[in-house]
Structures are given as structure tokens and as C-alpha cells.
Amino acid sequence: MSDQKKEQQQQQPEYVQVGLEQIATEQGFTASRYRIEYESGSSNKGDGFVGTLFKAYIREDGRDELKLVVKVLPEHELRRQQSLGMFHREAMVYNAVMPLFGKFQAEQGLEKEEGFWRIPKCYYANCDLEKMEAVVIMEDLQLKGFRMWNKSKPADLEHSLLLMKQLGAFHAVSFAMKDQQPEQFGPFKHLVDPMKVMIDMDPKKQIHALFGQMYDRAATTLEEDDTEAKKAFEKLKGTVVDSYVECVSSEAAEPHAVIGHGDCWINNMMYTYEDKNPNPKDIRLIDWQLSRYVSPILDLSYFIFICTDEDFRANHFDQLLDCYYESLSEHLKKLGGNAERQFPRATFQDHWKRFGRFGLLMGLIVLPIVCTAKEELPEMEDYIDRAEQQQDAEFNFGTSEQAQEMYRTRMAGMIRDVVRLGYL
């Protein structure tokens, strides 16, 4: 082992080493013969806003190495505090939610190609709230040919349809389990939105200040002749956080709430392709730290309004909704349920009216990130430190002319569409 890699190994927290050693044992590596090495510089700027990513290798002479992606808490103290609850949620998803969902689908006779299994293999996930230690260790999807879409480019139809099909399959499991195994599903109804928890524990109201600042910036993107959009958007001023809290209320969504992904934007999914075919063959949903029990619409609205543009939605919005609902109905039937009984199309439309604005609310924060190149992304630690000192600290994303123009176009289109569709 090189001195550099020995140094990297020594720098990793003991609980990370413990997790990797457990994986080595479970995967049949020989005690005292295997070694654990780390890859330096494997986390790019902007790869993880909640945690720090790096790659680890379990190696033993005479057998294939195991290459892993490791996610740990940021070193910055305030970011660690803010991220801890989200790591706890992601660990719960990998350790409890997904195994139970998989077991239920298998019991219903669904093969892996039929149901929802589109998540990375998680070898180890642990979060100790008292010790403030958290780590998630997963397979490296890049080894299977999975890669991310360019976040600054609006998603096209084929990539969007594939996601809609998988969200339909994923949400169908919640509807079926709530109906058929209510006791097993019951504990998941307490998965409160992690951002709502942060809002409740924010005495300085930094989140209110951030949303307010992003609202003011978004309002400047509308043109003079956007009269209707301006009037409707003006009603949101000063109430963005309240509106957000209303949208993530499980009580408001019942009896049609489901376990959602929670952070359903293009950087949290990876696609694989066949040869030179630009259309995706498969998908994996990653980063489950904001998973929660809410209306199914939140995942859909989040992706559609933030990750596509105005022209695309004018041509394909209804097609995406149809694709999702058909997938939900099909998979719910395979799981022994009935969509018209458990989530009727009329209720689906009603939920859009009640929760469809959610994509716009999240877009106030996420769209500036979408429109900013990696090299232009600000350091989160700098913003957090400034916000601790002054409530109105600026959140500076997309300062280049190209980024600003992209943001103006995409944000104005988002506001106009949310208003046009009657969601605001």
C-alpha cells in the first residue's frame, strides 16, 4: 500500500473502517489477507450537498476487488449538524423501508423487472445520532455503466418517461402495503419531512430568510406582460415556508400519502444506455435522505417543474402524468390492489391542484443550482458561516451571464406554468 493511501486510510473515521470491515467479512474476504484502500479526489465539487463522497476498495490477492462509494458527514460542524438527520433518514430507507418493500413485492410474485427495485445496492448504512457518526456505503453504479444526465440540460421525453414509470411502480408499493399489511407499513407513516424538522428547529429563521431571498430573485425573472403570473406569484411573498409546510403535511395528503423519494431532481438519478442509443435503458434513484410520507404529487412536481423547461411541458406535461398513472395502476394491480379504489384519477387530479405548487417552492432553491456550472458553485460552508452572522446573507448561485440567462428563462417558465395550470 502506498504511503498516500495509508495516510488516507488513517484519516478516515473509525466507524467508516468498521463498516468496510463488516462488508469485507460479509462478502467473503479473508481476514488478515484483505486490505482497504481509498481513492483521493473522488468527490467532485457539487456532488453532494448533504455529505462528502469518496471511493473505497476492498482488495485481496487472487480475487476481484470490491469497489464502493462511501458517503460521510461533512467536516464543517454546522453542516454536520444539519445533515445528521438526513443521514438518519437515508439509513432508515436502506435498512428498513427498501428491504420491506422488496419482501412485499417478492411475496406478491413480482420479478425484479416488474416491480420497483431501482436503487443502488447498499452494503452498509449506519447513523448514530448521539455520537454524530453517519456513513452510507453503496455499490459503484459507474461500474455498471450508469451515469448522470447533464443537470443544466432540460430532461428529454425518454428520460422523463422512464422516471415516471418507476415512480408509479414505487408509489404503488405504498398503496398496496397500506391496504394489505397496515401493521408492517404503519411505522413509515411517521417519516416526517426532514426539512420541516429543520424549519421547526431554526430559531434564527435562516430557512425563512433563504426562501425569502430566493423568492425575491425569482420575482425579477417575470416580464412586464406576465400580468397573471405576477399577480399570482405576488400572493406567495412572505408565505413560501408556510406553503412548503402545507405541502409536506402527511395529514393533508391522507388517505393517499405514500413514501416518496423526497429529493427527486435530475442529480439524484443515474441512467444506463445500450451501445450508442441515446435513450436510457435503465435508471437508479439515489440519495434518499429526504424520503418522507407525503402526497405522491411531490415527487412528480419536483422533477417536472425543476428538471424540464416550459416548451417541454407545453408538449408533454399530460403525457408524463398519464405515463405515471398508468404505471401506478398497472403495478398496483400486480400487487393485489386497485388504483380506482385506492387513488382514483379524480383524486390524482385533485392532489395536483392542492400540491402541484411544490415543484415551484423547491425550485426557488434548487433551480439556481441546476443552472450553475460545477466550477461556479459556491462553498456551502461559506454561506452557512455568513448566515450564522447575518440573517440576510446572500446565497450566490449562477453569477455568470450564461447561468443568469438560463435561470431567468427556466424560472419564469416555471412560474408561468404553475399559474397556468392552476396550482398557485
Side-chain angles (χ1 to χ4, degrees):
M1 188 185 304
S2 68
D3 291 340
Q4 183 185 19
K5 288 188 174 178
K6 283 182 180 177
E7 182 180 350
Q8 291 164 10
Q9 181 165 330
Q10 292 169 355
Q11 289 175 350
Q12 300 307 324
E14 182 181 354
Y15 62 86
V16 173
Q17 192 75 8
V18 168
L20 290 166
E21 289 173 356
Q22 178 176 316
I23 294 169
T25 300
E26 292 172 348
Q27 297 304 309
F29 284 86
T30 307
S32 78
R33 292 183 59 187
Y34 72 82
R35 60 195 183 277
I36 297 171
E37 299 176 357
Y38 301 96
E39 180 178 316
S40 62
S42 54
S43 180
N44 296 316
K45 189 175 182 181
D47 279 351
F49 286 91
V50 172
T52 299
L53 300 173
F54 59 89
K55 292 184 180 180
Y57 302 82
I58 303 178
R59 292 174 168 142
E60 180 181 332
D61 294 340
R63 64 168 293 172
D64 292 338
E65 69 180 13
L66 181 60
K67 187 176 182 180
L68 303 162
V69 173
V70 183
K71 181 161 66 172
V72 296
L73 288 168
E75 292 184 6
H76 187 272
E77 184 61 29
L78 285 175
R79 282 191 68 194
R80 287 175 67 84
Q81 294 174 16
Q82 294 172 351
S83 299
L84 188 63
M86 289 182 261
F87 266 83
H88 188 266
R89 179 59 50 84
E90 186 162 29
M92 181 181 294
V93 169
Y94 282 124
N95 292 333
V97 177
M98 291 305 174
L100 191 60
F101 274 26
K103 181 175 180 287
F104 176 76
Q105 290 179 97
E107 289 172 349
Q108 302 301 315
L110 264 68
E111 300 290 339
K112 288 204 171 183
E113 290 305 312
E114 294 181 285
F116 178 78
W117 314 84
R118 268 60 179 192
I119 60 173
K121 177 178 176 58
C122 180
Y123 288 91
Y124 182 85
N126 186 55
C127 180
D128 189 317
L129 295 175
E130 291 187 3
K131 295 181 179 179
M132 289 192 68
E133 297 176 353
V135 59
V136 177
I137 307 175
M138 302 159 287
E139 67 175 324
D140 185 351
L141 289 171
Q142 290 182 336
L143 297 178
K144 295 182 177 179
F146 285 90
R147 63 181 188 265
M148 288 184 174
W149 178 266
N150 181 352
K151 69 179 175 66
S152 64
K153 181 181 177 183
D156 66 16
L157 182 59
E158 294 304 321
H159 288 77
S160 300
L161 288 174
L162 180 55
L163 175 65
M164 292 300 109
K165 290 176 183 177
Q166 289 307 316
L167 287 177
F170 173 48
H171 294 162
V173 182
S174 286
F175 281 114
M177 285 199 70
K178 285 170 64 175
D179 187 44
Q180 300 169 40
Q181 297 185 1
E183 290 186 4
Q184 290 91 325
F185 187 87
F188 300 149
K189 290 186 174 183
H190 302 293
L191 295 183
V192 178
D193 176 71
M195 271 192 62
K196 167 65 165 57
V197 176
M198 291 175 64
I199 290 169
D200 291 341
M201 299 175 64
D202 182 22
K204 295 184 178 181
K205 293 193 177 296
Q206 292 176 354
I207 297 174
H208 287 74
L210 176 60
F211 269 112
Q213 181 186 135
M214 294 296 98
Y215 170 89
D216 290 341
R217 182 181 180 187
T220 66
T221 65
L222 293 170
E223 302 292 340
E224 285 299 322
D225 57 354
D226 288 324
T227 310
E228 183 180 355
K230 279 188 169 185
K231 183 177 180 181
F233 193 60
E234 178 66 27
K235 295 177 182 178
L236 197 59
K237 186 175 179 64
T239 65
V240 176
V241 173
D242 292 339
S243 187
Y244 177 93
V245 171
E246 291 172 3
C247 283
V248 299
S249 166
S250 58
E251 291 82 1
E254 286 288 40
H256 305 103
V258 299
I259 301 298
H261 178 275
D263 199 10
C264 206
W265 71 296
I266 201 69
N267 258 28
N268 287 338
M269 51 202 72
M270 298 179 73
Y271 295 92
T272 189
Y273 306 83
E274 194 164 16
D275 298 327
K276 295 183 178 180
N277 189 338
N279 296 330
K281 180 177 68 172
D282 206 353
I283 186 175
R284 293 292 182 272
L285 299 184
I286 61 176
D287 290 350
W288 292 82
Q289 63 268 357
L290 291 181
S291 185
R292 58 206 163 192
Y293 184 63
V294 289
S295 168
I297 302 307
L298 270 58
D299 281 344
L300 307 181
S301 178
Y302 196 145
F303 176 82
I304 293 174
F305 286 119
I306 294 174
C307 302
T308 69
D309 61 16
E310 190 173 19
D311 289 341
F312 177 91
R313 292 188 292 270
N315 292 306
H316 302 296
F317 184 80
D318 290 339
Q319 184 178 359
L320 294 186
L321 269 57
D322 289 343
C323 176
Y324 166 83
Y325 194 80
E326 288 170 10
S327 176
L328 175 79
S329 301
E330 174 189 341
H331 285 89
L332 195 47
K333 184 177 181 180
K334 290 179 180 179
L335 292 168
N338 183 295
E340 279 305 315
R341 174 175 64 86
Q342 294 172 266
F343 194 38
R345 187 69 189 240
T347 303
F348 175 60
Q349 297 293 351
D350 177 63
H351 268 235
W352 268 105
K353 293 293 184 183
R354 295 166 57 201
F355 304 104
R357 68 187 184 278
F358 183 76
L360 171 60
L361 301 178
M362 285 305 301
L364 296 176
I365 304 296
V366 178
L367 193 61
I369 301 172
V370 170
C371 297
T372 303
K374 275 188 177 182
E375 58 272 16
E376 292 184 58
L377 288 171
E379 297 292 344
M380 287 299 297
E381 289 84 353
D382 292 344
Y383 169 74
I384 292 171
D385 288 339
R386 285 187 285 108
E388 275 293 294
Q389 302 299 322
Q390 57 183 98
Q391 190 173 15
D392 59 347
E394 290 191 16
F395 197 49
N396 293 318
F397 274 103
T399 56
S400 71
E401 185 176 341
Q402 180 181 2
Q404 290 182 8
E405 180 57 33
M406 186 188 306
Y407 170 78
R408 281 193 294 269
T409 302
R410 296 275 294 271
M411 179 56 77
M414 186 193 304
I415 297 171
R416 285 192 292 263
D417 279 352
V418 171
V419 172
R420 173 178 60 83
L421 292 163
Y423 303 153
L424 190 62

Short mmCIF file of all heavy atoms in Angstrom, two decimals, residues 227-249:
data_model
loop_
_atom_site.label_atom_id
_atom_site.label_comp_id
_atom_site.label_asym_id
_atom_site.label_seq_id
_atom_site.Cartn_x
_atom_site.Cartn_y
_atom_site.Cartn_z
N THR A 227 -48.64 39.43 -16.65
CA THR A 227 -49.52 40.04 -15.65
C THR A 227 -50.15 39.01 -14.72
O THR A 227 -50.10 39.15 -13.49
CB THR A 227 -50.65 40.83 -16.35
OG1 THR A 227 -50.09 41.71 -17.31
CG2 THR A 227 -51.43 41.63 -15.32
N GLU A 228 -50.73 37.96 -15.29
CA GLU A 228 -51.41 36.95 -14.47
C GLU A 228 -50.42 36.22 -13.57
O GLU A 228 -50.69 35.99 -12.38
CB GLU A 228 -52.12 35.95 -15.38
CG GLU A 228 -52.92 34.90 -14.63
CD GLU A 228 -53.62 33.92 -15.56
OE1 GLU A 228 -53.55 34.12 -16.80
OE2 GLU A 228 -54.23 32.95 -15.06
N ALA A 229 -49.26 35.86 -14.13
CA ALA A 229 -48.26 35.15 -13.34
C ALA A 229 -47.74 36.02 -12.21
O ALA A 229 -47.55 35.55 -11.08
CB ALA A 229 -47.11 34.70 -14.24
N LYS A 230 -47.50 37.30 -12.49
CA LYS A 230 -47.01 38.22 -11.46
C LYS A 230 -48.01 38.35 -10.32
O LYS A 230 -47.63 38.32 -9.13
CB LYS A 230 -46.75 39.59 -12.06
CG LYS A 230 -45.42 39.73 -12.79
CD LYS A 230 -45.19 41.18 -13.16
CE LYS A 230 -43.77 41.41 -13.64
NZ LYS A 230 -43.48 42.84 -13.89
N LYS A 231 -49.26 38.47 -10.67
CA LYS A 231 -50.30 38.65 -9.66
C LYS A 231 -50.40 37.43 -8.75
O LYS A 231 -50.49 37.55 -7.52
CB LYS A 231 -51.65 38.91 -10.35
CG LYS A 231 -52.79 39.20 -9.39
CD LYS A 231 -54.07 39.51 -10.17
CE LYS A 231 -55.22 39.79 -9.23
NZ LYS A 231 -56.48 40.07 -9.97
N ALA A 232 -50.37 36.25 -9.35
CA ALA A 232 -50.47 35.02 -8.57
C ALA A 232 -49.21 34.80 -7.72
O ALA A 232 -49.29 34.41 -6.55
CB ALA A 232 -50.70 33.83 -9.49
N PHE A 233 -48.04 35.06 -8.31
CA PHE A 233 -46.78 34.84 -7.61
C PHE A 233 -46.63 35.81 -6.45
O PHE A 233 -46.05 35.47 -5.41
CB PHE A 233 -45.61 34.98 -8.59
CG PHE A 233 -44.30 34.47 -8.06
CD1 PHE A 233 -44.16 33.15 -7.67
CD2 PHE A 233 -43.20 35.31 -7.95
CE1 PHE A 233 -42.95 32.66 -7.18
CE2 PHE A 233 -41.99 34.84 -7.46
CZ PHE A 233 -41.87 33.52 -7.08
N GLU A 234 -47.17 36.99 -6.59
CA GLU A 234 -47.10 38.01 -5.53
C GLU A 234 -47.78 37.50 -4.26
O GLU A 234 -47.34 37.83 -3.14
CB GLU A 234 -47.77 39.30 -6.00
CG GLU A 234 -47.80 40.42 -4.97
CD GLU A 234 -46.41 40.96 -4.63
OE1 GLU A 234 -45.50 40.87 -5.49
OE2 GLU A 234 -46.24 41.45 -3.50
N LYS A 235 -48.81 36.66 -4.40
CA LYS A 235 -49.52 36.14 -3.22
C LYS A 235 -48.64 35.22 -2.39
O LYS A 235 -48.92 34.98 -1.21
CB LYS A 235 -50.78 35.39 -3.67
CG LYS A 235 -51.82 36.26 -4.35
CD LYS A 235 -53.00 35.43 -4.81
CE LYS A 235 -54.02 36.28 -5.54
NZ LYS A 235 -55.17 35.46 -6.05
N LEU A 236 -47.58 34.71 -3.00
CA LEU A 236 -46.67 33.78 -2.31
C LEU A 236 -45.65 34.52 -1.45
O LEU A 236 -45.02 33.92 -0.56
CB LEU A 236 -45.96 32.91 -3.35
CG LEU A 236 -45.28 31.62 -2.87
CD1 LEU A 236 -46.28 30.69 -2.20
CD2 LEU A 236 -44.62 30.93 -4.06
N LYS A 237 -45.49 35.81 -1.68
CA LYS A 237 -44.47 36.60 -0.97
C LYS A 237 -44.68 36.53 0.54
O LYS A 237 -45.78 36.78 1.04
CB LYS A 237 -44.50 38.05 -1.45
CG LYS A 237 -43.37 38.91 -0.87
CD LYS A 237 -43.38 40.30 -1.47
CE LYS A 237 -42.28 41.18 -0.91
NZ LYS A 237 -40.93 40.66 -1.25
N GLY A 238 -43.63 36.19 1.24
CA GLY A 238 -43.70 36.12 2.69
C GLY A 238 -44.33 34.87 3.25
O GLY A 238 -44.39 34.69 4.47
N THR A 239 -44.83 33.98 2.37
CA THR A 239 -45.52 32.78 2.84
C THR A 239 -44.93 31.50 2.25
O THR A 239 -45.56 30.45 2.33
CB THR A 239 -47.03 32.84 2.48
OG1 THR A 239 -47.17 32.81 1.05
CG2 THR A 239 -47.67 34.10 3.03
N VAL A 240 -43.74 31.59 1.67
CA VAL A 240 -43.16 30.42 0.99
C VAL A 240 -42.97 29.26 1.96
O VAL A 240 -43.34 28.11 1.66
CB VAL A 240 -41.81 30.78 0.33
CG1 VAL A 240 -41.17 29.53 -0.29
CG2 VAL A 240 -42.00 31.85 -0.73
N VAL A 241 -42.41 29.52 3.13
CA VAL A 241 -42.17 28.44 4.09
C VAL A 241 -43.50 27.86 4.58
O VAL A 241 -43.64 26.63 4.71
CB VAL A 241 -41.33 28.95 5.28
CG1 VAL A 241 -41.23 27.87 6.36
CG2 VAL A 241 -39.94 29.34 4.81
N ASP A 242 -44.47 28.69 4.83
CA ASP A 242 -45.80 28.19 5.25
C ASP A 242 -46.39 27.30 4.16
O ASP A 242 -46.99 26.25 4.46
CB ASP A 242 -46.75 29.36 5.53
CG ASP A 242 -46.34 30.15 6.76
OD1 ASP A 242 -45.61 29.61 7.61
OD2 ASP A 242 -46.75 31.32 6.87
N SER A 243 -46.25 27.72 2.91
CA SER A 243 -46.77 26.93 1.80
C SER A 243 -46.03 25.60 1.69
O SER A 243 -46.63 24.56 1.42
CB SER A 243 -46.63 27.72 0.49
OG SER A 243 -47.27 27.06 -0.58
N TYR A 244 -44.72 25.63 1.92
CA TYR A 244 -43.92 24.41 1.90
C TYR A 244 -44.42 23.44 2.97
O TYR A 244 -44.63 22.24 2.71
CB TYR A 244 -42.45 24.74 2.13
CG TYR A 244 -41.56 23.52 2.21
CD1 TYR A 244 -40.92 23.03 1.08
CD2 TYR A 244 -41.38 22.84 3.42
CE1 TYR A 244 -40.12 21.89 1.15
CE2 TYR A 244 -40.59 21.70 3.49
CZ TYR A 244 -39.96 21.23 2.36
OH TYR A 244 -39.19 20.10 2.44
N VAL A 245 -44.62 23.93 4.17
CA VAL A 245 -45.06 23.09 5.29
C VAL A 245 -46.43 22.47 4.98
O VAL A 245 -46.68 21.30 5.29
CB VAL A 245 -45.10 23.91 6.60
CG1 VAL A 245 -45.78 23.11 7.71
CG2 VAL A 245 -43.69 24.30 7.02
N GLU A 246 -47.30 23.24 4.35
CA GLU A 246 -48.61 22.70 3.96
C GLU A 246 -48.46 21.55 2.97
O GLU A 246 -49.15 20.53 3.06
CB GLU A 246 -49.47 23.81 3.33
CG GLU A 246 -49.92 24.88 4.31
CD GLU A 246 -50.58 26.06 3.59
OE1 GLU A 246 -50.73 25.99 2.35
OE2 GLU A 246 -50.94 27.03 4.27
N CYS A 247 -47.54 21.69 2.03
CA CYS A 247 -47.36 20.67 1.00
C CYS A 247 -46.80 19.37 1.56
O CYS A 247 -47.13 18.28 1.06
CB CYS A 247 -46.44 21.19 -0.10
SG CYS A 247 -47.23 22.33 -1.27
N VAL A 248 -45.93 19.44 2.56
CA VAL A 248 -45.29 18.23 3.08
C VAL A 248 -46.06 17.61 4.24
O VAL A 248 -45.58 16.66 4.88
CB VAL A 248 -43.83 18.50 3.51
CG1 VAL A 248 -43.01 18.99 2.32
CG2 VAL A 248 -43.77 19.50 4.66
N SER A 249 -47.27 18.08 4.49
CA SER A 249 -48.09 17.53 5.56
C SER A 249 -48.67 16.18 5.15
O SER A 249 -49.41 16.09 4.16
CB SER A 249 -49.22 18.50 5.91
OG SER A 249 -50.20 17.87 6.71
#
